[in-house]
């Protein structure tokens, strides 16, 4: 592990207070300027989306855009503009953030109903309906958000492309440091997603698995992350129970930066034409 940074010897309560006070609108994971560093999975998500948005693509939907951070960066890096790009977001505080960021780029931001976690969806579930006509988009892209495969298939034109990158599970390190039960791996795997896509009218044509690693140099960004992504450790509230975060900071002070590994997968699917 690397040498300790000055932040790692600061007062734990000050670090926790800093993290809990940080803005949770949008998905700006770079706000802590090197104190929370992520090594991405072993594929290039941007390249996957570039391939999906080829020369014949006129319309694209970014499903679960957050604050529009990733989409804005991707659009800024393109040499050719897409005629119509729509960003959908279900978390109300993120919608105006995305609107301010994406409107100058000509992107329409729409508040949509959030889908249940994919493994919790069933025949009677009506969540995740998309407010678009059928066959509205040439491509739908999604990064780390739940989705209803049948709704994705409905809004895609026949032969249209869906690309998603998903978080499958962690390695239990964070739960152990917080002295919380390590959850089972769960059902949300590439195999589950492929089968669910097929049932929803999508044919998976390419996919991959891997992991990312996030390194925390002090507990402030972790406190922020646990508020930003409460489903990362369900049932744990860092505001009500900061003592567990003090334990994490003591670990960092003793052992150096904390590394958290999460399993990911991605898939590319085509809406069937039959």
């Amino acid at each position: 592990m690397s040498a300790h940074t000055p932040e790692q010897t600061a007062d734990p309560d000050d670090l926790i207070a800093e993290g809990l006070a940080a803005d949770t609108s949008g998905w700006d994971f770079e706000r802590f300027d090197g104190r929370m560093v992520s090594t991405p999975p072993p594929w290039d998500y941007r390249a996957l989306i570039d391939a999906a948005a080829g020369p014949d693509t006129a319309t694209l939907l970014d499903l679960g855009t957050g604050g529009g951070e990733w989409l804005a960066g991707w659009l800024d890096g393109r040499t050719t503009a897409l005629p119509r790009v729509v960003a959908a977001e279900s978390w109300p505080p993120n919608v105006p953030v995305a609107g301010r960021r994406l409107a100058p780029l000509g992107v329409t931001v729409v508040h949509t109903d959030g889908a249940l976690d994919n493994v919790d969806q069933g025949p009677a579930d009506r969540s995740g309906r998309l407010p678009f006509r059928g066959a509205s988009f040439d491509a739908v892209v999604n990064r780390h958000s739940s989705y209803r495969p049948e709704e994705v298939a409905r809004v895609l034109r026949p032969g249209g492309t869906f690309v998603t990158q998903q978080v499958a599970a962690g390695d239990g390190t964070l739960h152990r440091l917080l002295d919380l039960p390590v959850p089972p791996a769960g059902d949300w795997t590439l195999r589950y997603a492929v089968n669910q896509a097929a049932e929803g009218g999508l044919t998976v044509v390419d996919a991959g698995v891997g992991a990312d690693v996030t390194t925390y140099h002090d507990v402030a960004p972790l406190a922020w992350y646990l508020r930003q992504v409460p489903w990362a450790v369900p049932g744990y509230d860092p505001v009500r129970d900061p003592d567990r975060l003090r334990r994490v900071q003591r670990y960092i002070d003793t052992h150096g930066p904390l590394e958290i590994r999460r399993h990911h997968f991605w898939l590319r699917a085509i809406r069937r034409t039959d």
Side-chain angles (χ1 to χ4, degrees):
M1 294 186 178
S2 62
H4 293 191
T5 64
E7 292 83 3
Q8 291 174 293
T9 58
D11 183 272
D13 288 340
D14 290 343
L15 293 170
I16 293 168
E18 178 191 358
L20 296 180
D23 185 12
T24 56
S25 62
W27 292 103
D28 181 7
F29 284 81
E30 298 180 356
R31 67 179 71 235
F32 286 95
D33 190 26
R35 296 159 63 192
M36 175 183 180
V37 180
S38 292
T39 302
W43 56 78
D44 185 346
Y45 181 72
R46 177 185 292 271
L48 296 176
I49 305 308
D50 284 340
D56 296 331
T57 300
T59 54
L60 180 141
L61 171 64
D62 182 28
L63 185 57
T65 198
E69 296 87 353
W70 188 90
L71 181 60
W74 180 70
L75 291 172
D76 279 340
R78 284 183 61 85
T79 57
T80 57
L82 293 171
R84 178 173 179 245
V85 178
V86 177
E89 174 58 26
S90 63
W91 183 240
N94 282 345
V95 175
V97 176
R100 290 190 294 271
R101 178 172 282 113
L102 295 173
L105 300 173
V107 177
T108 301
V109 177
V110 178
H111 180 218
T112 58
D113 180 35
L116 285 179
D117 287 349
N118 285 64
V119 296
D120 295 328
Q121 296 171 15
D125 172 39
R126 305 298 293 171
S127 70
R129 296 280 297 178
L130 298 175
F132 309 112
R133 295 192 184 98
S136 295
F137 298 98
D138 298 314
V140 176
V141 301
N142 169 288
R143 185 170 177 263
H144 301 171
S145 293
S146 57
Y147 58 92
R148 294 195 69 87
E150 61 269 32
E151 276 295 281
V152 172
R154 182 184 65 81
V155 302
L156 274 173
R157 64 167 175 78
T161 301
F162 173 55
V163 176
T164 185
Q165 175 178 294
Q166 294 286 317
V167 178
D171 65 358
T173 299
L174 182 55
H175 285 77
R176 284 189 286 269
L177 284 173
L178 292 169
D179 197 22
L180 294 169
V182 177
D187 296 324
W188 188 226
T189 63
L190 176 58
R191 176 176 293 184
Y192 190 105
V194 169
N195 292 336
Q196 189 181 54
E199 294 172 358
L202 299 166
T203 299
V204 175
V205 295
D206 203 2
V209 296
D212 74 355
V213 177
T214 301
T215 302
Y216 295 92
H217 290 265
D218 64 67
V219 80
L222 179 60
W224 169 81
Y225 175 79
L226 290 170
R227 289 184 63 232
Q228 179 80 10
V229 189
W231 54 89
V233 184
Y236 174 62
D237 184 347
V239 176
R240 298 179 61 183
D241 189 4
D243 193 53
R244 296 181 189 272
L245 290 174
R246 296 186 187 102
R247 183 181 299 118
V248 174
Q249 184 59 45
R250 288 196 294 270
Y251 174 92
I252 294 173
D253 288 340
T254 302
H255 300 284
L258 170 64
E259 294 185 350
I260 302 297
R261 180 179 299 270
R262 301 181 304 170
H263 299 291
H264 286 63
F265 64 84
W266 68 273
L267 62 81
R268 179 169 63 90
I270 303 298
R271 180 192 166 183
R272 293 196 290 268
T273 57
D274 53 312

